[in-house]
Amino acid sequence: MGCIYRDGLGVAKDLLRAEDLFQKAIDMGFSESYYNLGKLYYENLNEKYCISRAIHYLEIAAEQNHPLASMLLGKIYYEDINVQKDYKKAKKYFMKSSLCKNPISLFYLGKMYDEGIGIDRNYTKSNDYFLLASKENHFDSYFYLANHYEKGCGFEKDITKAMEHYLKCAGMQKYQLILNFKEGYKFETYQNEFYYQSNNNLGLIYLLNEKYQDIQKGKEYLKIAAYNEYPYGQNNWGIICHYFLKDLNEANYFYKKASKHFFLAEFNLGRLSELQGDFDKSIEHYSNFLKLNDEKLYFRKQIIDDERLNSSIAFIDIYTCLKLCQIFLTENLKEDIIQKLIIRTIFHPIVKYLFLPLQESYHFSYQNSNDFSLIDFILQFPLFNLNCKNKKQSLLSFLTLDGIRSSSINDSLKASFPIVIILEFDSKAKILSFLHL
């Protein structure tokens, strides 16, 4: 009866009545009510129902081996903003709940190993847990498995299997889980948090991977993501409209929608404004991109962490700096800003690279001389993974055709460092040093 009044099932929701019924059930020896009362407090936090009361009753239930109480406690200690994070406790409770094949706890254990939160990162272990959770129909786990197959994290890289799991995740927006507990089991409906990302990633594979290329399918999947308010998908659909469909009005519409939550769209708005001859507007959008591009990208409280996206943002940051330099050099304006942009062009990718889990060392030294080319430095920098000669050549052609010429940029570089300077960088030793002569 308490659950009926707590959840408003066929009756008016009445938390006080539910609380009273749960308390009476506890007094009569029904241990399930510890979990139900803790859940009531947790889901309705206010001055009366505080987080500490919720944790108190949930911990009693967890001590009595209630897997749903353990799962909820794990989530509280892992991610709830109302308590201090305690990843050791989170793991303990997730492990306890996972013994009953709780798919949510299995997923969170996989996530902890995937992100290296509270424990050492281990893709093999994370995949083991994601596979176990996916067998219990946990759709978010399908996405993580797809992502790991696509990147080769803990698995041998396998685009076919990546697509297979993306397709499963893109199969439905809501799904049901069977959650086991002491007195039986229950069905709960969950939102598929990675539905739009899966459609977006499938679209990119069909568009960009030569082996699986299917332009029509790629457009269809990207369109699903774009028309359902996924900002990354909106930006990608804007690119399709901009460069392939040549529909600039549609491109502008989707770039603007995406820019509210996805700063990369500011860069594309800058490109579009420049194409249309509105240079003041393009400078405004390019500047907005540079201001915002160190912010984390979120969608429905989930961080969008995509290796291709991160590399693209790092390269576009450099490009935007150079583009603004070129505009200001042409107009003979803002020498101080040009110097700052040149310095950012060099150091921004270096700083990003220093904090990556590196597999190999990268070293370079710079001394202002006629031998150094900033464009060559960009094209050879390993963060952008331009290990293919054709990729380097196409980007060099792109930069040149777009008005970014190495000679004028190098002149500005020398002006930025008027004294003789030697810059040494070693990524593996994580050393960045200067020698002024």
Side-chain angles (χ1 to χ4, degrees), residues 77-88:
Y77 285 118
Y78 180 79
E79 62 188 7
D80 196 283
I81 61 172
N82 297 298
V83 298
Q84 185 174 353
K85 301 286 187 296
D86 190 329
Y87 298 120
K88 188 175 180 180

Side-chain angles (χ1 to χ4, degrees), residues 203-228:
L204 292 176
I205 290 173
Y206 279 122
L207 286 173
L208 303 177
N209 191 298
E210 291 182 7
K211 183 178 178 181
Y212 300 94
Q213 196 165 70
D214 186 325
I215 302 300
Q216 189 56 40
K217 279 188 178 180
K219 286 161 60 176
E220 287 171 4
Y221 281 112
L222 283 182
K223 203 169 183 178
I224 291 171
Y227 277 81
N228 287 280

Side-chain angles (χ1 to χ4, degrees), residues 292-307:
L292 298 170
N293 86 352
D294 281 325
E295 293 185 2
K296 291 187 181 296
L297 298 168
Y298 287 89
F299 179 67
R300 292 182 175 172
K301 299 180 182 180
Q302 296 281 348
I303 295 176
I304 303 173
D305 187 15
D306 184 284
E307 186 178 338

Side-chain angles (χ1 to χ4, degrees), residues 96-350:
K96 195 169 186 177
S97 178
S98 71
L99 297 175
C100 293
K101 295 185 178 180
N102 183 282
I104 297 171
S105 292
L106 290 167
F107 167 74
Y108 272 95
L109 286 167
K111 194 174 178 183
M112 291 182 78
Y113 279 109
D114 175 63
E115 297 174 358
I117 294 179
I119 47 182
D120 291 336
R121 174 176 279 170
N122 187 321
Y123 288 125
T124 301
K125 285 188 176 181
S126 74
N127 291 336
D128 289 341
Y129 283 114
F130 290 142
L131 284 166
L132 288 170
S134 68
K135 288 177 182 177
E136 304 300 322
N137 202 42
H138 192 272
F139 273 58
D140 293 1
S141 297
Y142 289 138
F143 177 82
Y144 274 82
L145 288 168
N147 201 250
H148 284 189
Y149 275 119
E150 186 179 7
K151 294 178 181 177
C153 296
F155 294 125
E156 187 175 342
K157 194 171 182 178
D158 190 329
I159 301 300
T160 301
K161 286 188 177 179
M163 293 175 73
E164 175 187 326
H165 285 85
Y166 280 137
L167 282 166
K168 287 179 180 178
C169 191
M172 57 181 68
Q173 296 186 51
K174 292 184 178 181
Y175 60 98
Q176 280 196 326
L177 291 177
I178 300 175
L179 303 178
N180 298 303
F181 56 98
K182 201 171 183 180
E183 279 75 16
Y185 63 90
K186 66 176 181 175
F187 291 94
E188 282 197 1
T189 301
Y190 287 85
Q191 185 77 33
N192 180 358
E193 298 295 341
F194 296 97
Y195 173 78
Y196 300 117
Q197 285 178 254
S198 294
N199 278 284
N200 179 78
N201 290 4
L202 277 169
L204 292 176
I205 290 173
Y206 279 122
L207 286 173
L208 303 177
N209 191 298
E210 291 182 7
K211 183 178 178 181
Y212 300 94
Q213 196 165 70
D214 186 325
I215 302 300
Q216 189 56 40
K217 279 188 178 180
K219 286 161 60 176
E220 287 171 4
Y221 281 112
L222 283 182
K223 203 169 183 178
I224 291 171
Y227 277 81
N228 287 280
E229 306 305 315
Y230 180 50
Y232 188 8
Q234 289 169 338
N235 181 72
N236 288 334
W237 183 247
I239 291 171
I240 295 293
C241 295
H242 186 169
Y243 294 100
F244 296 97
L245 303 180
K246 306 298 182 184
D247 187 339
L248 300 189
N249 289 331
E250 187 82 345
N252 186 60
Y253 172 77
F254 277 98
Y255 287 153
K256 283 184 175 178
K257 282 178 73 70
S259 68
K260 296 173 185 176
H261 306 284
F262 189 74
F263 57 77
L264 186 56
E266 286 285 352
F267 167 78
N268 289 318
L269 283 167
R271 291 281 295 164
L272 193 58
S273 298
E274 188 179 352
L275 182 68
Q276 294 170 333
D278 191 341
F279 291 99
D280 290 338
K281 201 71 177 173
S282 71
I283 290 171
E284 179 186 335
H285 287 302
Y286 286 146
S287 300
N288 285 341
F289 167 75
L290 292 179
K291 287 175 189 173
L292 298 170
N293 86 352
D294 281 325
E295 293 185 2
K296 291 187 181 296
L297 298 168
Y298 287 89
F299 179 67
R300 292 182 175 172
K301 299 180 182 180
Q302 296 281 348
I303 295 176
I304 303 173
D305 187 15
D306 184 284
E307 186 178 338
R308 292 168 305 191
L309 177 62
N310 293 335
S311 295
S312 296
I313 289 170
F315 183 82
I316 290 169
D317 183 277
I318 286 177
Y319 168 84
T320 305
C321 289
L322 296 179
K323 170 54 72 173
L324 287 172
C325 283
Q326 195 68 26
I327 293 171
F328 295 148
L329 282 167
T330 304
E331 302 294 329
N332 294 316
L333 296 171
K334 304 184 178 181
E335 289 186 11
D336 58 327
I337 295 179
I338 291 172
Q339 289 187 4
K340 289 177 181 177
L341 290 168
I342 291 290
I343 292 169
R344 175 172 176 146
T345 299
I346 296 175
F347 291 102
H348 202 259
I350 288 174

